[in-house]
């Protein structure tokens, strides 16, 4: 029973440490898999602020032809409470990072290699589409919460680094959220929302 | 020229007053159409905190069969800097408030009349769909930034009041942002993102 | 002993989950009566975001002739960390919601039925009183921290919905805080503060 | 006309600079009486961060027998956007700082001289009264938004320094807000709220 | 084992309670050495908001000739989550509070006795030095994160009260951080950074 | 005069737009060199969210042997109000980015090329030094406000990308702030603070 209790404490701590807030009340608050809240500062070491391997290309052999390698607080516990994170994105030729939002972060994308078409769309009623083709060394901003995307428009692979203004920005891929929800959203709702007949909706739901 | 200058000041003030932040440094800061920042407190009156007409049903004669009547800071200038707003939503029978996000607010919906099916979908990778049928007097929470929707599943009209945690929550209707952007998102991107052929994408883009 | 430990964890968790902050680091963080911080997301269900019964009139048979039915994070655990809540307020004829403040929230009041006289007073040195009589469908804003009140000035019952910019706005009823504190504030202080003799102060303290 | 325009800009700037928010985006943002937003950094000088005279006793010859000397952003423009301010409080023998709230700040009070009875009252439903007699060198905390007071319980004058967690904390003296509002709150409302007859209410309203 | 579990909970709670955030969700959240998060409100007493002894001079018999007596959340548990703290600073004749930063707070300093030379330096590229000699009753602001210092320039002891905009502002004394780090920063780095030869760097590292 | 007024408005707007806060009240708020607050959304274009040239190596021919190329809101106006920015850092062999702090941001550094020794030092009283040698693809976190540095320890040039949690993080290079302030900090203060004689202090002040 005591072991159970310890286990319970540890499990609950895991979920707790990733929700506590970002106003800094200490120099840092490293997530600790075995404790509540911050890791004991005496046990914190340089490796808690360290992540390796971001030079390794992600595997883009998938329908979208792209791969995101996140370095969020889950991967880098020293980021906890510090309101920032990064990610590497790889794109096969013509690969896309499909339309998505980050509910908790603005994104700043820097192209390390290749050519990317990027864009975001503003909220109602304008739904303005801001679009740009980026080359190596170009930087673009996707404001918090807005739908945005990237596409490789060069001949080879493309690579970018994204900086995000949250330790856990969240990703809502529109296709997955709308057509791939578990359980499905009623097809009547989606048929009406997208002005498609139920057959196309069912097809879409089978794909996601 | 001086008049031009005054005009310029007034126009710029309009855009300024709606971006200044929400940490309250005064009792209130009413948006003033003719000034920079807050309306002169001496000229503020009770009507600046007042809006009327929320008992009037919105016109639901449109494809979605629903109508949102917002009471945001634009409609009610006394809300400026105060981090809250409300809206009335009317639904014709089988009307929907199609899948959308609020990039800057959580929503709490209260059903005043009728029956509503409501739901929201979590971010990747789970994309869990939380769904509930609500009756008169029922309340439901849609957390900030997540895709959500409502549908009238009763025999008559339905009415709800939404409370939102921002003076200007923003609305991103998925269909409009993805298929109705101005200018259009490249159909190649959408075809790949939704695994549909370009004909269906073009059809969708013609609808939004 | 192990059971005691589990119990301790559970009890402490209860107080903890209601103080952790509102910067969203996850899609949501439902208060869990049995755990530290957020309820395990796998166990979260639609009912955690749901509250029912707000169509039921509160019992106004009391000296003030009004009744507040709160839907705060305590009543609706899905509101935890989301910076918003609502309440229903019922008023008997001539019933009042007596002068009070919300130390942690702005309030937006919407009249569903009846006629209400409402007002708020600004801070020193002006102590300006903003006052308005509201009818069905009217909306009024009470800025955070300011003293405000409502009174039913119609012939029948009145009903309103309040939206508040905190999951736990707090209510400080002036009469209760000043004359009904436990233990009492020294009557000498109150006599001097309100320029009343000690007999009246003692009378007031006996009433609250 | 151009001069008018300049004047308008200057006047509006005054109200604007005191509402912009406190997230620091620059080293500092000194309020400038002649400009919009921050004073030109090139013109900022040490005196902008400086205030003198806090060793001078305030005049306590008034009914309450106390005097607050504020050092808020209005008095010390270098405090603008920095979320902190201070004040000196002087108390004649038996003088009180009557029950009041700060809608935008927690207060930390340090006694420099004399003996003070201090207290604060929590929100509904407990309305607990936390009370303490302080001597020279004692420190006490009044949490944000709660009703609190001080009284000189020594034989001579008392002096305290208050630190407040806002550049403009606001003061709502209960008596002034409830009985001294301009225009008056309806005496019927106050009679019902405080369970006093209208004669006593009118007497109170004449006093504030 | 159960006792161990209880102990673990208690120890972890200690570190947790000092990192949870400052958005007030309750009237207060007193740090509790024996629990997770806030002390049980029923057990909270006036002494939790109380600290004594700030009239006692600190011992300035040390190389700097100054002593800081902090009243942070560690010393005064009622400050937890309330974004403010204070400190007393004593200065022997010619004593200094050496150049340092507060990574989490702005400081407002009030001179209670004596004469102090004070200053702060802005960030790159200007590195402007704002400097002032203060007398009794003078107040000065040191904006968040900037390097600042004080020196006693009078004939006797000097005393000041500092108000800080965080419950745990942090102190980074430049000399200690740069030359007294544990383990040492490589002397090659410091030699290059300060354009000094390694002998002087080693001498400095031996002093801190 | 009218032109003067327009000019004044424009100049003041420049300083204003960089202090307004980061709580997003609109989809975005692009800094406009000719207006108050946000650029007119109708005139905003994709280029406002775009910066080019980050693939170009900075010139490291300087005593430190390093060069920072910032992409802050000043360089990329679309970052305004969005709480994030980036920078490229180039290092010649044995070049250093000398000890410095960012008063308004945490930094996440990613090595694109070469080998870097990096470290940060915690606040008093521990002054712990966390140190790590990084290779290509390695990531390291420097928590907000703490003193940190990098040094090229490879044989060739090194390049890194830094993500920062503010649109204008600020840089305080310790050497510049302490020994290069304008006007100088009194050498007596520095001599006492660093336990060096006045000759060495004067030498240092001549170098910065």
């Amino acid at each position: 029973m005591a072991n159970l209790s310890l286990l319970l404490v540890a499990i609950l701590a895991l979920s707790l440490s990733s929700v506590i807030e970002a106003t800094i009340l200490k120099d840092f608050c490293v997530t600790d898999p075995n404790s509540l809240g911050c890791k004991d500062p005496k046990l914190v070491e340089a490796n808690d602020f360290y992540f390796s391997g971001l030079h390794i290309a992600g595997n883009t052999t998938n329908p979208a032809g792209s791969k995101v390698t996140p370095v969020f607080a889950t991967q880098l516990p020293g980021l906890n409470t510090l309101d920032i994170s990064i990610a590497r994105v790889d794109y096969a030729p013509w690969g896309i990072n499909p339309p998505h939002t980050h509910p908790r972060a603005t994104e700043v994308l820097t192209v390390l290699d290749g050519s990317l078409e990027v864009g975001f769309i503003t909220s109602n009623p304008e739904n303005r589409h801001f679009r740009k083709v980026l080359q190596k060394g170009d930087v673009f901003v996707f404001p918090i919460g807005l739908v945005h995307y990237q596409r490789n428009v060069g001949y080879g692979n493309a690579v970018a680094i994204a900086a995000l203004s949250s330790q856990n920005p969240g990703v809502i891929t529109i296709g997955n959220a709308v057509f791939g929800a578990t359980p499905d959203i009623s097809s009547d709702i989606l048929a009406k929302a997208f002005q498609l007949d139920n057959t196309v909706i069912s097809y879409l739901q089978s794909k996601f």
Side-chain angles (χ1 to χ4, degrees), chain A residues 9-208:
Chain A
V9 166
I11 290 168
L12 297 173
L14 270 169
S15 71
L16 182 63
S17 62
S18 51
V19 292
I20 54 168
E21 220 274 320
T23 291
I24 309 300
L25 300 186
K26 291 185 155 181
D27 286 351
F28 48 71
C29 169
V30 174
T31 313
D32 184 354
N34 306 310
S35 82
L36 306 166
C38 312
K39 186 171 177 178
D40 177 350
K42 290 198 180 61
L43 305 178
V44 170
E45 47 185 338
N47 283 336
D48 289 316
F49 301 96
Y50 169 74
F51 176 93
S52 68
L54 215 58
H55 60 305
I56 302 168
N59 181 353
T60 59
T61 316
N62 55 55
S66 75
K67 180 70 180 180
V68 175
T69 306
V71 187
F72 298 170
T74 309
Q75 287 81 28
L76 180 39
L79 286 175
N80 191 35
T81 75
L82 294 177
D83 271 346
I84 194 163
S85 62
I86 63 167
R88 174 192 171 114
V89 195
D90 286 278
Y91 311 83
W94 303 107
I96 63 167
N97 189 357
H100 62 284
T101 70
H102 301 297
R104 295 181 286 278
T106 288
E107 176 178 343
V108 180
L109 190 89
T110 305
V111 180
L112 296 189
D113 239 316
S115 296
L116 291 177
E117 175 187 1
V118 303
F120 68 84
I121 296 93
T122 66
S123 64
N124 296 345
E126 289 83 6
N127 300 121
R128 273 192 69 194
H129 178 198
F130 288 91
R131 179 192 166 279
K132 187 89 190 168
V133 175
L134 307 180
Q135 310 298 340
K136 183 175 177 168
D138 287 358
V139 177
F140 204 78
V141 181
F142 305 109
I144 185 168
L146 301 190
V147 174
H148 62 287
Y149 67 87
Q150 300 107 38
R151 177 168 62 150
N152 183 350
V153 293
Y155 294 101
N157 293 322
V159 187
I161 292 284
L164 298 130
S165 63
S166 164
Q167 68 179 66
N168 181 19
V171 182
I172 299 175
T173 302
I174 298 301
N176 295 350
V178 174
F179 300 113
T182 307
D184 275 338
I185 300 178
S186 157
S187 58
D188 287 347
I189 290 170
L190 296 179
K192 194 159 199 170
F194 293 97
Q195 304 176 45
L196 289 168
D197 63 41
N198 280 21
T199 325
V200 183
I201 295 297
S202 296
Y203 166 79
L204 281 162
Q205 291 184 326
S206 73
K207 287 286 190 173
F208 284 94

